[in-house]
Amino acid sequence: MKKLLIVLAFAGFSLGLSAQENTEDPTLKYSVATNSFWSNWFIQVGGEWNAWYSSQEHGLGLARSPFKDFRSSPAAAIAIGKWFTPGLGLRTKLQGIWGKTVNDDNNDGNHNKYWILNEHILFNLSNMLAGYNPNRVWNFIPFAGGGIGRTMTHNLYAMDLSAGILNTFRLSRKVALNLELGWNRLESDIDGYEQTNSKRGWDSHDNNFYGELGLTFNLGKATWNKVPDVDAIKALSQSQIDALNAQLNDANAENARLKNLLANQPKQETPVAAKEFITTPVSVFFNINKTNIASQKDLVNVEALAKYAKQNNNNLKVVGYADSATGTAERNQWLSEERAKTVADELVKLGIDRDKITTEGRGGVDELSPISFNRRATVQIAD
């Protein structure tokens, strides 16, 4: 009979699991990452109906139905636990208070107040076999463990082994209804009667069977994060690398084109270069509200112009500007004059006589775009 019940229970589980998976969205199943220690805790409370089968009953032929009045009694239970993965968890459970043990052939149920404290390993087979699904309605969770029990009526203690099946039914993300069937196998002195005859099998010890209906309350974070799709990340990274390589190839091709264009240009004679210096001012740029040169790179062209001026004994004219979009007219006029003086000082450092340099400040202007280009000073060959 026991084997038949086990076979029927597993058959029911398999059919129920298949029916449930067919109604769930398969896209919700995914691999998960391990959460922190403070995540996925839960508390369970419930009411039980328990029945005892003691070792002293062996061979007496007593009725063993747990629904007999002389055998069964109500009880209560509370537990706290944590899921370390969607399929594996631990639980500490305290149960008991009222019980009845039968010790003679008169079916005399003796009241026995007790408690049992067990540590259980939980196996969520629904998540293990079908994959984690946060919206699954029914979870099938076998458990096994052990602990200690005490009869307060007889002031005795006993070690025990424990096993059972926990079924949880999702009511919300934080609450589930749980239906539990369990078995606690204790030493023979938990009912106050010492073992007197040698027995073998499951009835050689005191056994406690119980059915429980209760609630599970999930604490804090009760779900599991999806593992990042490494292949997708690699594909995205590779696509970004390919795009950068394409841009680099385009830049290299453009650079080669410009080099080829420059190499094939006809060489210009010195008088043409002199004309460029005479007609094209060289610009030096400044930051907003500053009179020091923003970048020393701007002085490269100034140095070339100064060299030409020394060779040809030319005078140089420096004109300073500010942008009209910021500052007052008086402030912009001062900035333009100071910027012209700054560039003139650089020309002196490059070997140009001070008396060959004239400076002028033209205040705030709006000649160039963007606005920052107006914060400059120009140098050119004086007429």
Side-chain angles (χ1 to χ4, degrees):
M1 177 61 73
K2 186 190 302 182
K3 294 181 179 180
L4 177 60
L5 291 176
I6 294 174
V7 171
L8 291 176
F10 275 96
F13 159 67
S14 301
L15 292 174
L17 183 63
S18 300
Q20 176 177 268
E21 295 305 320
N22 289 337
T23 60
E24 293 174 348
D25 184 355
T27 61
L28 294 178
K29 301 174 188 174
Y30 52 78
S31 299
V32 299
T34 302
N35 284 343
S36 70
F37 176 80
W38 303 110
S39 301
N40 305 102
W41 286 84
F42 62 87
I43 291 178
Q44 294 175 328
V45 292
E48 297 182 348
W49 197 256
N50 75 94
W52 285 84
Y53 175 71
S54 63
S55 58
Q56 285 74 25
E57 297 183 47
H58 180 76
L60 296 180
L62 300 177
R64 297 179 180 179
S65 170
F67 300 103
K68 296 291 185 178
D69 290 339
F70 67 86
R71 182 184 299 281
S72 59
S73 181
I78 185 170
I80 183 170
K82 171 180 168 55
W83 290 103
F84 293 91
T85 72
L88 185 64
L90 288 178
R91 178 181 71 171
T92 302
K93 181 171 183 176
L94 178 65
Q95 61 189 119
I97 303 179
W98 309 284
K100 295 178 181 178
T101 57
V102 181
N103 302 289
D104 54 45
D105 54 3
N106 295 321
N107 289 344
D108 185 14
N110 299 307
H111 292 277
N112 183 26
K113 291 185 178 181
Y114 72 98
W115 56 257
I116 300 174
L117 181 66
N118 282 318
E119 188 71 19
H120 292 145
I121 303 176
L122 308 177
F123 304 92
N124 189 325
L125 293 186
S126 298
N127 286 335
M128 286 182 172
L129 301 180
Y132 172 64
N133 185 335
N135 297 319
R136 179 177 285 116
V137 175
W138 171 44
N139 285 280
F140 182 80
I141 309 169
F143 62 86
I148 188 171
R150 178 177 184 261
T151 167
M152 293 169 286
T153 302
H154 304 287
N155 194 27
L156 296 172
Y157 291 86
M159 303 300 293
D160 81 294
L161 297 176
S162 180
I165 295 174
L166 170 64
N167 297 272
T168 63
F169 301 89
R170 184 178 187 270
L171 301 179
S172 69
R173 188 172 64 88
K174 291 290 187 179
V175 182
L177 178 70
N178 45 281
L179 175 62
E180 181 174 331
L181 299 176
W183 168 37
N184 297 312
R185 181 178 185 271
L186 297 106
E187 295 178 7
S188 59
D189 57 354
I190 190 68
D191 58 359
Y193 293 88
E194 292 291 344
Q195 176 69 34
T196 57
N197 24 358
S198 176
K199 306 181 182 72
R200 294 181 180 180
W202 71 278
D203 60 353
S204 63
H205 290 69
D206 292 338
N207 299 272
N208 171 251
F209 303 94
Y210 67 91
E212 178 184 331
L213 183 65
L215 293 173
T216 296
F217 300 94
N218 297 316
L219 306 179
K221 183 177 181 181
T223 56
W224 299 83
N225 295 331
K226 185 176 182 180
V227 172
D229 191 337
V230 177
D231 292 336
I233 293 174
K234 288 182 178 179
L236 178 60
S237 299
Q238 187 60 48
S239 65
Q240 293 173 336
I241 293 174
D242 293 341
L244 291 175
N245 286 333
Q247 293 177 0
L248 182 61
N249 291 335
D250 292 343
N252 290 335
E254 179 65 13
N255 187 41
R257 186 186 71 81
L258 293 176
K259 283 183 177 180
N260 183 60
L261 182 63
L262 183 61
N264 293 329
Q265 279 187 338
K267 294 184 179 181
Q268 297 182 354
E269 299 179 356
T270 302
V272 176
K275 183 177 180 181
E276 289 180 356
F277 278 132
I278 294 171
T279 59
T280 304
V282 175
S283 294
V284 179
F285 294 95
F286 297 81
N287 291 323
I288 186 171
N289 204 30
K290 300 294 183 181
T291 60
N292 55 306
I293 298 172
S295 175
Q296 295 298 310
K297 294 180 180 179
D298 291 347
L299 296 177
V300 174
N301 293 331
V302 173
E303 184 178 0
L305 182 55
K307 182 178 179 180
Y308 172 82
K310 285 193 296 182
Q311 291 174 349
N312 294 276
N313 198 29
N314 295 120
N315 294 326
L316 295 176
K317 182 178 181 180
V318 183
V319 181
Y321 303 88
D323 73 90
S324 60
T326 58
T328 63
E330 294 77 8
R331 178 67 178 176
N332 288 336
Q333 181 62 39
W334 178 83
L335 282 172
S336 66
E337 294 173 357
E338 291 299 314
R339 288 167 177 172
K341 292 178 183 178
T342 298
V343 176
D345 291 341
E346 294 294 333
L347 289 171
V348 171
K349 294 177 184 178
L350 293 171
I352 305 298
D353 294 335
R354 177 71 71 175
D355 57 3
K356 287 187 172 292
I357 304 171
T358 59
T359 61
E360 179 184 353
R362 296 187 181 177
V365 298
D366 187 17
E367 299 174 350
L368 304 177
S369 179
I371 294 173
S372 60
F373 285 5
N374 295 297
R375 304 166 194 148
R376 74 191 196 284
T378 61
V379 185
Q380 66 185 66
I381 303 297
D383 294 334

